[in-house]
Amino acid sequence: MIKKHKITVTLDWTSINKDVQDKAYRMARLAKLGVDNTTAADRLESEITLGDEDMSLLKRAMSQGLAEVVTMCGQYVWNTSHTSDNYILDGKDVTITLMMPINFNLAGCESLGQMIHAYIVAKAMTEWFRYTVPARAAEQQELQNEAKRDIRKIINARVRTLAGATPMQIIVGDEKPSVTMLYCFDNENIEVTPSEDTYDILSTKARKVQFTASAEEPRAVAAALPLGYTPNIGNEEIKQLGKVVYDDMVYAWWTATSRFENRGEISY
């Protein structure tokens, strides 16, 4: 009998659903108010909601995203906790069990769970944008494609054969993840991946960091989190700068596309 690694990926569906809804809500607010930022629109927040059609579309796309992940990992899937039909998953954890070759690179296990989370979120946002803001769909499609490439890269990674195999379990989508967030500030927009040579990089275990700025002293902000997490930088549009390795994990740096002239917050 050939030995294999048993890899169990548990997805917190409630957390993924919340991530998708938060991003869709922010975009719905921007679209309704017709502005480039939400600072002046906060007082109208209670008037904006996602309709039943939006919620149905997002949940359907999330289920489709999960099905596509299972297809990507098809030759290694031992079983999943959901059935093979077209019903919509809602509020239940999903478990995918993979039987991987003995020479599978176990270093990719944590990133695998995070990238599956990222892929499902990007899939939902891509499909939602196709019907709401088509001009933004390509941006989300690229995030989806990037996550897909990373999943396949992790799945296909191999090392020299080990003596034995150990079952591992990956838990992703924790409501209170214990990760370190990196962040930095500048007076001008940040256009390159921050490093200790170019910026004073700060770190925190907290999920929120508040900062102040003014018209006289505007601040550009960048934040980095492990792959699979996306920061919210003052409710502004953000773009990815690049990836770095921190604490033996791959982090992605993000920055707001404009500077701040008043109080703001970084969170995830």
Side-chain angles (χ1 to χ4, degrees):
M1 180 177 178
I2 300 176
K3 292 183 178 180
K4 292 181 178 291
H5 289 293
K6 180 181 179 182
I7 311 297
T8 302
V9 182
T10 301
L11 301 171
D12 183 341
W13 206 250
T14 299
S15 180
I16 296 176
N17 187 52
K18 182 178 183 298
D19 195 1
V20 169
Q21 289 188 39
D22 285 348
K23 291 182 178 181
Y25 173 81
R26 288 199 297 269
M27 293 312 302
R29 180 166 59 177
L30 291 175
K32 181 170 182 178
L33 298 172
V35 296
D36 294 328
N37 63 73
T38 59
T39 302
D42 285 342
R43 61 181 179 277
L44 300 178
E45 181 174 344
S46 61
E47 300 178 10
I48 301 173
T49 59
L50 295 174
D52 291 340
E53 292 184 0
D54 293 297
M55 297 305 302
S56 178
L57 174 61
L58 290 170
K59 290 180 180 180
R60 178 72 66 186
M62 289 166 60
S63 297
Q64 291 172 349
L66 175 62
E68 291 173 4
V69 168
V70 172
T71 299
M72 274 184 254
C73 305
Q75 63 179 311
Y76 305 113
V77 174
W78 184 50
N79 68 5
T80 61
S81 65
H82 67 288
T83 58
S84 180
D85 59 28
N86 65 346
Y87 83 115
I88 298 177
L89 293 166
D90 189 12
K92 299 179 181 178
D93 289 349
V94 177
T95 299
I96 304 174
T97 302
L98 305 176
M99 301 302 294
M100 302 302 297
I102 195 65
N103 62 342
F104 170 66
N105 188 352
L106 295 174
C109 285
E110 184 171 357
S111 294
L112 175 60
Q114 293 171 353
M115 294 320 301
I116 290 175
H117 180 118
Y119 181 86
I120 294 172
V121 172
K123 170 68 176 182
M125 295 307 299
T126 298
E127 295 304 315
W128 187 71
F129 273 127
R130 291 189 200 281
Y131 292 94
T132 56
V133 190
R136 298 294 305 278
E139 174 187 329
Q140 296 299 317
Q141 182 68 63
E142 179 53 34
L143 292 176
Q144 181 183 338
N145 292 341
E146 183 176 348
K148 183 176 184 179
R149 289 192 293 267
D150 287 342
I151 291 171
R152 287 180 168 173
K153 183 177 180 180
I154 294 169
I155 288 293
N156 294 324
R158 299 290 183 266
V159 295
R160 289 193 300 176
T161 303
L162 304 175
T166 303
M168 296 187 66
Q169 186 173 36
I170 313 165
I171 308 296
V172 298
D174 190 348
E175 286 291 343
K176 296 181 179 179
S178 178
V179 301
T180 298
M181 178 169 61
L182 309 178
Y183 61 100
C184 63
F185 302 98
D186 197 354
N187 293 327
E188 301 296 332
N189 286 337
I190 301 174
E191 301 294 344
V192 298
T193 304
S195 68
E196 293 182 349
D197 295 332
T198 55
Y199 293 98
D200 181 16
I201 297 177
L202 306 172
S203 65
T204 180
K205 288 285 189 181
R207 299 194 66 183
K208 295 182 180 180
V209 174
Q210 294 183 335
F211 60 89
T212 59
S214 65
E216 293 75 22
E217 296 185 7
R219 304 186 88 174
V221 183
L225 288 166
L227 291 181
Y229 296 93
T230 304
N232 175 12
I233 305 178
N235 290 326
E236 295 284 348
E237 290 296 308
I238 61 174
K239 65 179 181 180
Q240 189 176 123
L241 294 172
K243 298 175 184 176
V244 297
V245 176
Y246 174 79
D247 197 21
D248 295 327
M249 297 177 63
V250 179
Y251 273 59
W253 273 100
W254 300 81
T255 186
T257 56
S258 60
R259 296 185 301 173
F260 293 85
E261 296 184 355
N262 47 34
R263 290 178 58 86
E265 182 180 271
I266 312 169
S267 62
Y268 70 95

